[in-house]
Amino acid sequence: MDMPGHGDHSGHGGHDGTRPMCAMNMALNWSTENVCVLFDFWRITSGMSLVFSCAAVFALGYLYELSRTRVRSWELAQLAGRARLETPLVADSLGRSARWMRAVMYGLLVAYSYSLMLIFMTYNGFLILAVIGGAIAGHYAYATDALGAVRGANCH
């Protein structure tokens, strides 16, 4: 039975047991309802889910910096173990399996960084601050080289 003046809400979802569509914003917003984060099942529907999502995103940003530092340390250890002064190219001084491992780790870091970029592109201010906060905290905790800030101002 439709109530007079109530209108048609068939496009909203949720009234018939289905979930509403994810909000797609193309401008900065501070929404706390119906925000999907990377996957349809990771959805912000309340203040509490927003807090948990921001904590998870902060942790992802923090762990990304840890991952980059660990990969960098592994690369430096590989180069130190195989240092040959006569070879000017870095790739030539690594063995075949180390080059494959380096390429796979690079690919995983690219995928990780693009996932953070996609979270950023929800344009949700809370999630943006969580990504930035996690990156700052992780960089502070793990970046030990002199060029740390220069190496990471892009997606990969």
Side-chain angles (χ1 to χ4, degrees):
M1 180 168 105
D2 191 25
M3 296 176 55
H6 192 69
D8 179 22
H9 292 282
S10 60
H12 290 284
H15 294 295
D16 60 354
T18 62
R19 295 171 63 160
M21 291 181 60
C22 295
M24 294 293 293
N25 293 299
M26 296 303 291
L28 182 65
N29 67 86
W30 299 92
S31 179
T32 60
E33 292 183 20
N34 207 31
V35 178
C36 290
V37 185
L38 288 181
F39 306 101
D40 187 51
F41 63 83
W42 186 358
R43 188 180 295 242
I44 297 172
T45 56
S46 66
M48 188 56 70
S49 63
L50 174 67
V51 170
F52 287 129
S53 292
C54 285
V57 169
F58 181 93
L60 287 171
Y62 184 88
L63 292 173
Y64 176 71
E65 291 299 321
L66 171 63
S67 300
R68 283 193 343 172
T69 302
R70 293 286 166 92
V71 168
R72 176 95 169 128
S73 296
W74 178 85
E75 287 176 327
L76 291 173
Q78 292 297 310
L79 289 173
R82 296 180 172 264
R84 289 189 278 181
L85 296 177
E86 71 275 2
T87 306
L89 297 176
V90 172
D92 289 342
S93 65
L94 292 175
R96 186 179 189 105
S97 64
R99 286 180 63 196
W100 273 110
M101 181 60 114
R102 182 178 183 214
V104 168
M105 287 190 292
Y106 175 78
L108 292 172
L109 283 176
V110 168
Y112 196 159
S113 67
Y114 279 128
S115 297
L116 289 172
M117 180 197 65
L118 289 172
I119 292 171
F120 206 93
M121 289 183 65
T122 63
Y123 296 102
N124 184 285
F126 298 113
L127 296 177
I128 289 171
L129 291 175
V131 169
I132 293 170
I136 290 170
H139 185 79
Y140 178 80
Y142 300 110
T144 57
D145 58 343
L147 301 175
V150 175
R151 66 178 165 79
N154 54 22
C155 291
H156 69 280

